Amino acid sequence: MDPKMDAGVANDAVKPADQCFKDGLIPLSPDTEACVAIMDRILACEISWQGGCALAQTVFTCLYMHRPSSVEEPALRAYCQCTLKCCDAVKKAVQRAEVYEEEDFGTNT
């Protein structure tokens, strides 16, 4: 079991996203190299989600995606916000299309 992914496991080492932001555990203004690495990871997570994995286990494993408005680096903030908008647009498009849930696309993710 992975304590980060299983809500039923009590683990004090796993902190909520808000607490990580409050404690300063997440750099809100990372340097350029770190921003590119974060953006690459977010893109990989988005592709995994579009491939059928759960949104909570892909895109939202990146804590920046929980509060993109808190990110001070303009490029990273914009990238996070755009990724969330793209995920929302994809989900809405699939829900409007003639697809069958769980057979063609999982709308519960």
Side-chain angles (χ1 to χ4, degrees):
M1 285 191 291
D2 186 357
K4 294 181 293 189
M5 299 299 170
D6 189 356
V9 174
N11 186 347
D12 295 333
V14 178
K15 294 184 178 183
D18 287 337
Q19 189 66 39
C20 292
F21 280 102
K22 183 179 175 185
D23 293 348
L25 299 174
I26 301 169
L28 299 178
S29 189
D31 62 13
T32 304
E33 187 175 325
C35 279
V36 171
I38 294 165
M39 290 175 189
D40 184 57
R41 179 70 181 136
I42 291 170
L43 178 62
C45 289
E46 183 182 3
I47 291 168
S48 292
W49 172 68
Q50 290 182 6
C53 296
L55 190 62
Q57 294 180 336
T58 54
V59 174
F60 286 113
T61 59
C62 177
L63 295 181
Y64 289 106
M65 301 303 288
H66 290 256
R67 287 183 37 195
S69 60
S70 298
V71 179
E72 296 169 2
E73 164 55 46
L76 181 57
R77 180 177 55 243
Y79 190 85
C80 291
Q81 290 171 335
C82 288
T83 300
L84 290 173
K85 291 286 187 183
C86 287
C87 289
D88 186 51
V90 167
K91 188 171 180 178
K92 285 179 181 177
V94 168
Q95 288 173 334
R96 284 190 307 255
E98 295 287 331
V99 296
Y100 297 96
E101 187 172 354
E102 301 300 326
E103 185 177 315
D104 298 321
F105 193 86
T107 57
N108 63 340
T109 60

